[in-house]
Amino acid sequence: MQYGYFDDHSREYVITRPDTPLPWINYLGCQEYFGIISHTAGGYSFYRDARLRRLTRYRYNHLPLDQGGRYLYLRDNESGAYWSPSGAPACRDLEQYTCRHGLGYSVIGSVGHGISAHTRYFVPLDENFEVWQLEIVNHRLHPVSLSVFSCIEFCLWDAQDDATNFQRNFSIGEVEIDDGVIYHKTEYRERRDHFAWFACSAPIEGFDTQREAFFGAGRGWERPVAVERGESANSVAHGWAPIGSHHVRLLLEPGETRQILFALGYHENPKDRKFDPPESQTINKETVRPAIARAVDAASADAAFSRLRAYWEERLDICQVETPDPHTNRMVNIWNAYQCMATFNLSRSASFYESGIGRGLGFRDSNQDLLGFVHMALERARQRILDLAATQLPTGGAYHQYQPLTKQGNNDIGGNFNDDPHWLILGTAAYLKETGDWSILDEPVPFDNQPGSEQPIYEHLKRSFRYTLDRLGPHGLPLIGRADWNDCLNLNCFSDTPGQSFQTTTNKDGQVAESVFIAGLFVLAAKELAAIACRHGEPADSQHCLSEAARMAETVRAQGWDGAWFLRAYDDFGRKVGSKECAEGKIFIEPQGFCVMAGIGFDDGRARQALDSVRRHLATPHGIVLQQPAYSRYYLHLGEISSYPPGYKENAGIFCHNNPWVMIAEAMTGNGDAAFDYYLRINPSAREAISDVHRNEPYVYAQMIAGRDAPTHGEAKNSWLTGTAAWNYHAVTQWILGIRPEYDGLRMAPVIPERWPGFQAVRKFRGVTYDIRVHRKGPGNAVGVTVDGHSQAGDLVPLPSDGRALVTVDVTLG
Ligand code: BGC
Ligand code: NOJ
């Protein structure tokens, strides 16, 4: 069953009924001002940091689930009937409800009571405000008198404090109303230099800023008393809960169309010019007025919207493919790329599953995200790498997270996740391959943001590498520390206290528990670093990396193989994890994918054997589960992984993040059918037809799909902000379609399904457009490459030496 359809031409997903199984969301903004918006206009906005600079309030996990948003009400002034054109919060019978989620915007509306009303929500580029462009059409045969009410609830900036510290907060709320604009200025009198504003393009009939005056005692979003009676109370909030609501009256002739713009924005004033007059407590509005004027001007909004569309087109046009499979095409060309940008912008902070008050930017997460977005945001990727490296510790270790506003490592979470440092090598390698910008290696960056500790990025990478060699366990494998990629495999934690956080509780300084996954990651990262060192003019470093990689691969062979698959770990007692000897958790996905990706097991058949074991033990129709058999009870020595009921999350859920490791591994062993088969199992577009089972948005990946041990097998959760986006994008574009940026050119190494006759692609790479046509002439993956009509040896297409900007590449396969 479906709740909408893909409009690929417009690059939109069109939701045609408001009762989707869960709120299906989109993001507004791509620079500093952001919002999440659900298909019924729920959600919230913030400036840069979803916790510390929250503009509007949102109630998580409410009933109904989606509470608080960018709401409008229409009221027929003759009959008194009122409704929300976005399908919520005043839900009435609506004809033709639609929500078009597009790239950086959503258009939500409906036809009801003979009136059509659609609102386009977006954040213009380079602005710190969002625009709601409402268009109303009177389809009745007679004139109609309508009232339009807007309403948002302001958050008192720190979203965590806003939801808890009521003894203070109910006394501090302050607003100003000036010339129809509502200003929210709580705490502006003291240390804040910023305020929010909410404006409207039409002359207003009235306003409200005190929540209860607008809603009425005992009422909620569904039945605001001001809307019911058709009149605002012109309330001024003093304490309690400031809101912003405008009331506009319209008279529409039959067939007449009218546009009204609402805009919500964030503004900072210079410290010494906060007030006007200077001795007063009144906001100095001089600096914000031009922004407000732009925001509520229809022509400016249309122009800004066109610029936004062009911005996204330019990003997506960097890689466009045309394959025989529509799901691949629309995910690669539109949605997966777009999701990668969302993970770049928001990391794991704000979604319907990440509250915006919890996590900062993850070191591991943000480095992996680079794999998916680097080609779309070169400069920002460079800056991200520098920011991440600046949080690295002198030991080579890393804070697990850092706060986006301060860019400081987050002390609450700490470090000792022993995989973390290596992702910096992989992220930087991805950047170098895409850009060829070797200058980044010489960029001086401090450790732990301490002035004076600056060292070139290259040195940071070497410390990442060294970090593991300084922390080897009894079998010569890397010590796992607090956890590795699998945050829930907590072998040094031994938590027996209810409610204690597995992520932050004091761990034993374990010198025994080791990770085979980190070993695989180390081998891959060491090989990358060797390649980098070699090109950086450090052949001795390069040799050293290669010999340590070889040594670690040998250790994996000797200590990390379980007979038919790679072991997962050794626990604190030196016992195997992820072995046939275990009662539960006999085989895990991570080391199978990563060890093969690292090139381990190609010479002795183990790579193939490991992947066959994955197919036999872990593959389900909905994707590959993380491990089997699921843990049926809590194991003190394994930690959070066994805290989840079987089939969910890390306890044998389908982690869509590490499925692509197996896809890549299958592609590396030449098995295009298997790689593509796994790809389709979790591809959200391919799952659209089972939206009532999948339940999450069909246009973006979810972190997890419930595994076969779960009663809800096939149900997705935690959509949007997940490393799944980058890894699937990377796997399908670079390993299945096989168009792979490398240090010295663009490699053409497709490993596509046997039945595909070929595909076409356009890939922009280092200023050159590659027009690529792949034709299968027989089975297998042998590649023949012709560049601009000249056949060449090998599959690496170097950059044109004569400055050509367009290159045609014909690839024969088989
Ligand atoms: C989740 C993990 C996540 C971790 C991050 C755990 O509860 O299961 O998926 O990586 O929290 O803090
Ligand atoms: C989600 C986290 O963001 C990521 O860092 C981690 O690797 C996975 N969960 C697996 O635990």
Side-chain angles (χ1 to χ4, degrees), residues 37 140 161 300 564:
I37 184 161
R140 297 185 190 174
D161 195 69
S300 310

Side-chain angles (χ1 to χ4, degrees), residues 359 364 401 487-488 503 640 644 649-650 655 703:
R359 304 212 238 171
R364 174 202 293 142
Q401 296 177 2
D487 272 327
C488 299
Q503 306 296 313
E640 185 169 4
Y644 287 112
K649 294 279 287 182
E650 281 83 345
F655 243 78
Q703 179 202 58

Side-chain angles (χ1 to χ4, degrees), residues 51-226:
R51 171 174 167 180
L52 297 175
R53 290 278 200 285
R54 185 77 70 93
L55 269 80
T56 55
R57 183 171 294 140
Y58 190 77
R59 291 183 179 72
Y60 302 100
N61 200 6
H62 212 264
L63 205 63
L65 196 51
D66 187 15
Q67 274 288 293
R70 302 169 181 84
Y71 293 138
L72 294 173
Y73 299 87
L74 292 188
R75 180 179 188 275
D76 178 337
N77 288 330
E78 220 156 279
S79 68
Y82 64 91
W83 67 100
S84 294
S86 62
C91 325
R92 305 284 185 269
D93 292 337
L94 295 175
E95 304 140 41
Q96 290 178 35
Y97 155 91
T98 50
C99 164
R100 290 182 165 265
H101 280 323
L103 307 177
Y105 68 91
S106 293
V107 184
I108 311 177
S110 55
V111 182
H113 307 259
I115 307 294
S116 109
H118 292 83
T119 311
R120 183 163 78 186
Y121 299 90
F122 69 101
V123 176
L125 292 170
D126 305 317
E127 300 280 19
N128 289 327
F129 57 75
E130 62 185 67
V131 177
W132 315 357
Q133 222 171 342
L134 166 68
E135 190 170 276
I136 310 179
V137 188
N138 177 14
H139 294 297
R140 297 185 190 174
L141 298 173
H142 48 84
V144 59
S145 157
L146 287 178
S147 279
V148 182
F149 289 87
S150 64
C151 190
I152 48 148
E153 214 181 337
F154 290 111
C155 176
L156 306 191
W157 301 115
D158 179 338
Q160 169 77 39
D161 195 69
D162 180 73
T164 44
N165 194 7
F166 305 112
Q167 61 80 25
R168 170 178 161 86
N169 292 348
F170 284 163
S171 293
I172 61 172
E174 288 190 302
V175 295
E176 282 178 33
I177 302 101
D178 183 46
D179 200 17
V181 181
I182 295 165
Y183 296 86
H184 173 230
K185 61 165 191 175
T186 300
E187 290 186 343
Y188 188 72
R189 62 167 50 246
E190 30 124 350
R191 291 153 298 174
R192 293 188 189 277
D193 309 326
H194 46 264
F195 56 88
W197 52 268
F198 189 34
C200 170
S201 63
I204 63 171
E205 188 76 18
F207 63 86
D208 271 298
T209 63
Q210 184 58 278
R211 186 174 66 194
E212 272 63 32
F214 176 76
F215 287 101
R219 293 170 179 237
W221 285 107
E222 228 180 297
R223 286 188 316 129
V225 75

Side-chain angles (χ1 to χ4, degrees), residues 696-719:
N696 265 174
E697 296 93 333
Y699 42 91
V700 288
Y701 284 95
Q703 179 202 58
M704 187 214 46
I705 296 173
R708 67 156 78 103
D709 304 282
T712 57
H713 186 29
E715 181 190 35
K717 278 184 200 148
N718 301 7
S719 55

Side-chain angles (χ1 to χ4, degrees), residues 348 354 359 362-366 368 400-401 419-420 423 483-489 503 590 626 649-650 655 657-658 661 703 718 721-723:
R348 306 296 175 267
E354 303 287 1
R359 304 212 238 171
F363 191 89
R364 174 202 293 142
D365 294 334
S366 297
Q368 287 175 84
H400 199 45
Q401 296 177 2
D419 63 314
D420 270 338
W423 301 111
D484 60 22
W485 171 87
N486 189 332
D487 272 327
C488 299
L489 191 61
Q503 306 296 313
E590 305 100 310
L626 195 145
K649 294 279 287 182
E650 281 83 345
F655 243 78
H657 180 147
N658 51 27
W661 300 346
Q703 179 202 58
N718 301 7
L721 302 183
T722 155

Side-chain angles (χ1 to χ4, degrees), residues 727-747:
W727 274 108
N728 277 282
Y729 188 83
H730 181 76
V732 68
T733 56
Q734 299 202 16
W735 294 92
I736 296 178
L737 301 180
I739 302 171
R740 200 149 66 235
E742 293 199 359
Y743 299 112
D744 305 317
L746 201 53
R747 196 173 297 282

